[in-house]
Amino acid sequence: MSDSLEKWKRTHYSKEVNQDINGETVTLMGWIHEIRDLGGIIFILLRDRDGIIQVTAPSKKISTDFFKEIRKLKKEAVIAIKGSVQKSSKAPGGVEIIPDALKLLNEAKLPLPLDITEKVKAEIDTRLDARFLDLRKPTVSAIFKIKSRMLHSVRLFLEREGFIEVNTPKLVASATEGGTELFPITYFEREAFLGQSPQLYKQMMMSAGFDKVYEIAPIFRAEEHDTLRHLNEVISVDIEASFLDHEDVMNILERLVSTVLEEVQDNCETELKLLERDLFVPETPFERIDYDEVVDIVNSKGTLMRYGEDLSRAAEKAMGEFMDGYHFITGWPSDIKPFYVMPSDENPKKSYAFDLMYKDLEISSGARRVHKYDLLVERIKKQGLNPESFERYLAAFEYGIPPHAGWGLGSERFTMCITGVNNIRETVLFPRDRRRLTP
Ligand code: ATP
Ligand code: MG
């Protein structure tokens, strides 16, 4: 048995093999998911990126030497197999492969640190330590195929809406919002930080006249919490749009969510089935609840929430019991929102900020922004920050910046909503949390 590909080329992925090509010769490549030796017959479940197919080797139909070679194969070895497609009522998928030739391209060290067939469940830490193996599980890779499709649909949607994709720096000189949630780094002879948000840059792009921009990029948060909803590095989908207000960008956001869910539903049937996920596509517009009402609801559920506070975890949970789908919380108090959020015209104690929630999970925050220089400086000072450290940002507001609005959507939190997983670590290939920096 050769261990080199030579001129072999894959002709099909497992999912492309069906009864329509009964009798044809195919070449498949992948891993041995399982091997069962029944004496006179050996079954191999061959797994590739897109699925699993049965290879059936009956001793009667193949040469004795070849049968002996097959008998030696072990779990998770990488193989290439040439064989004929055979209809079979017993095989999963209705077809099996009768092998003619096989290459053992590489072997796997045994025992494996975790069971890829998932008969034995592993703890999340064991799984993440051997993540490349964990990702071989069809139910795990399904999450990332869905995430990939989600991000693809997001791009298609925003491009259709006239947004231009931009890339802003992740090495920054100062904080976006003040705050302590920054990772300091050494930038030659000075201190710099990893960007916590593209906020200030996307606003400068409004002054640059780009009208509608989006960015899909990592944000870094030096938050200490150890929860199922926070990581220290995530991918944020950010938009900013000129000549639009908060209502307009909420409308873009709800249509994006609904369109993307529909496209995931249409394109990820196999993956959703693997995850036993019944995806439902919400109708737009989503319900909007004013912050004042949220305070009343939370208190009526027996959880204490004072006016002017951000939603605690308990408050989020209380609200999640009350509202079970996608909904906006609007009318946030100005004081608990960042300086760049526009206070309301009628009541400046309230603002044009909104959060998009799915049940008890915040997935996006956005707002109409302050576009007037004087008000911006005033708000920076009021929040105890020094306008001098925002000099280069503030300059963009002195030479004609249009009214604008935008939001940031956490792609991992959105993936949690779509897939139904309840630990955010499941939605990142190699997650970064308070304790984990490898692999
Ligand atoms: P939370 O209150 O849940 O900690 P936040 O209000 O601090 O979130 P924002 O600064 O509003 O987060 O960021 C916008 C979006 O980015 C959030 O709604 C969320 O989807 C995502 N996000 C922000 N920080 C994190 C994080 N540490 N882990 C996962 N997602 C995050
Ligand atoms: Mg937020």
Side-chain angles (χ1 to χ4, degrees):
M1 222 183 301
S2 163
D3 66 355
S4 138
L5 272 178
E6 289 154 322
K7 292 279 175 221
W8 282 36
K9 293 272 179 287
R10 170 190 272 138
T11 61
H12 294 76
Y13 272 102
S14 60
K15 72 167 178 197
E16 296 164 329
V17 179
N18 54 41
Q19 299 196 348
D20 295 347
I21 55 167
N22 187 37
E24 273 183 37
T25 298
V26 295
T27 304
L28 302 173
M29 297 184 184
W31 288 258
I32 296 181
H33 193 61
E34 277 188 78
I35 179 158
R36 267 193 305 144
D37 189 342
L38 304 185
I41 191 164
I42 299 169
F43 295 105
I44 294 173
L45 291 183
L46 174 71
R47 187 189 68 244
D48 60 23
R49 194 189 68 184
D50 291 348
I52 292 174
I53 191 163
Q54 181 173 303
V55 178
T56 305
S59 61
K60 276 185 270 167
K61 285 197 193 165
I62 61 180
S63 77
T64 315
D65 282 353
F66 189 29
F67 193 74
K68 276 188 194 154
E69 299 271 8
I70 292 175
R71 177 159 277 162
K72 283 189 229 151
L73 296 172
K74 299 260 166 38
K75 262 182 169 220
E76 293 307 313
V78 184
I79 58 170
I81 224 161
K82 210 175 270 194
S84 55
V85 179
Q86 188 97 54
K87 272 191 198 174
S88 157
S89 54
K90 281 181 232 137
V95 281
E96 59 190 0
I97 308 291
I98 310 296
D100 294 326
L102 191 141
K103 286 177 186 292
L104 175 58
L105 298 170
N106 221 336
E107 288 180 290
K109 190 165 111 183
L110 296 173
L112 298 160
L114 47 85
D115 176 19
I116 287 147
T117 66
E118 293 189 78
K119 286 180 191 124
V120 186
K121 299 271 177 211
E123 295 293 326
I124 187 86
D125 274 321
T126 311
R127 292 178 45 202
L128 293 176
D129 285 343
R131 188 61 155 165
F132 63 94
L133 281 177
D134 186 52
L135 288 161
R136 289 185 191 177
K137 296 175 188 163
T139 54
V140 177
S141 65
I143 297 167
F144 295 93
K145 289 173 192 160
I146 291 171
K147 190 179 185 185
S148 160
R149 179 65 226 194
M150 177 274 283
L151 287 171
H152 180 63
S153 293
V154 164
R155 280 203 169 84
L156 291 177
F157 177 88
L158 291 173
E159 297 280 343
R160 284 198 297 273
E161 295 279 320
F163 284 80
I164 297 175
E165 182 164 16
V166 297
N167 306 102
T168 66
K170 304 305 149 209
L171 295 173
V172 298
S174 64
T176 309
E177 302 174 16
T180 50
E181 295 169 353
L182 286 163
F183 285 113
I185 53 164
T186 305
Y187 193 76
F188 304 108
E189 52 289 313
R190 8 175 206 160
E191 186 180 52
F193 303 94
L194 295 176
Q196 65 183 157
S197 156
Q199 183 61 34
L200 307 188
Y201 291 100
K202 58 182 190 166
Q203 287 192 268
M204 286 193 267
M205 293 312 292
M206 298 301 98
S207 192
F210 275 50
D211 269 33
K212 291 176 168 181
V213 301
Y214 75 100
E215 177 164 14
I216 301 179
I219 56 171
F220 302 92
R221 303 272 168 110
E223 295 162 340
E224 299 262 356
H225 25 208
D226 187 5
T227 78
L228 300 177
R229 309 175 317 283
H230 291 95
L231 288 174
N232 299 104
E233 175 178 352
V234 290
I235 301 293
S236 176
V237 176
D238 265 273
I239 75 154
E240 202 66 33
S242 287
F243 308 106
L244 297 184
D245 67 13
H246 53 292
E247 280 291 344
D248 297 318
V249 295
M250 282 163 75
N251 176 267
I252 291 171
L253 180 54
E254 63 197 352
R255 284 188 298 110
L256 176 145
V257 166
S258 162
T259 306
V260 168
L261 289 177
E262 206 173 308
E263 291 187 12
V264 168
Q265 196 175 46
D266 291 347
N267 291 282
C268 300
E269 218 178 311
T270 314
E271 290 75 22
L272 290 166
K273 202 179 270 169
L274 270 171
L275 296 172
E276 295 172 13
R277 182 69 173 160
D278 242 341
L279 199 58
F280 103 106
V281 177
E283 296 206 349
T284 58
F286 297 164
E287 212 168 315
R288 282 128 167 89
I289 309 181
D290 190 89
Y291 173 87
D292 296 20
E293 207 182 320
V294 170
V295 176
D296 290 344
I297 295 167
V298 169
N299 282 300
S300 76
K301 297 265 164 202
T303 304
L304 179 69
M305 178 178 175
R306 285 192 201 85
Y307 191 91
E309 277 177 1
D310 201 352
L311 259 69
S312 65
R313 183 65 197 138
E316 281 182 346
K317 278 196 171 144
M319 275 309 292
E321 276 166 32
F322 187 76
M323 298 293 306
D324 65 350
Y326 290 92
H327 61 279
F328 285 106
I329 299 178
T330 57
W332 287 84
S334 291
D335 286 350
I336 52 169
K337 284 292 170 183
F339 62 80
Y340 49 78
V341 165
M342 181 72 106
S344 152
D345 294 331
E346 300 96 59
N347 173 10
K349 288 208 172 318
K350 306 245 306 172
S351 73
Y352 294 126
F354 58 85
D355 276 6
L356 177 62
M357 310 292 295
Y358 174 68
K359 299 182 178 172
D360 61 2
L361 184 68
E362 177 196 315
I363 62 170
S364 173
S365 281
R368 190 176 139 194
R369 321 295 191 187
V370 175
H371 64 287
K372 297 284 188 189
Y373 180 86
D374 292 342
L375 180 58
L376 196 54
V377 171
E378 184 190 314
R379 282 190 51 87
I380 288 174
K381 284 187 192 153
K382 209 172 149 203
Q383 301 215 344
L385 300 167
N386 182 359
E388 274 168 35
S389 49
F390 294 93
E391 195 187 348
R392 304 274 178 210
Y393 162 70
L394 283 169
F397 291 76
E398 289 185 290
Y399 302 92
I401 185 169
H404 58 281
W407 44 253
L409 167 73
S411 75
E412 288 72 21
R413 297 241 181 123
F414 192 27
T415 303
M416 290 170 77
C417 304
I418 300 173
T419 58
V421 300
N422 67 6
N423 187 341
I424 194 167
R425 289 159 187 78
E426 299 269 8
T427 69
V428 176
L429 294 173
F430 301 102
R432 293 290 174 256
D433 66 20
R434 182 72 183 82
R435 289 166 298 121
R436 183 173 290 278
L437 201 53
T438 57

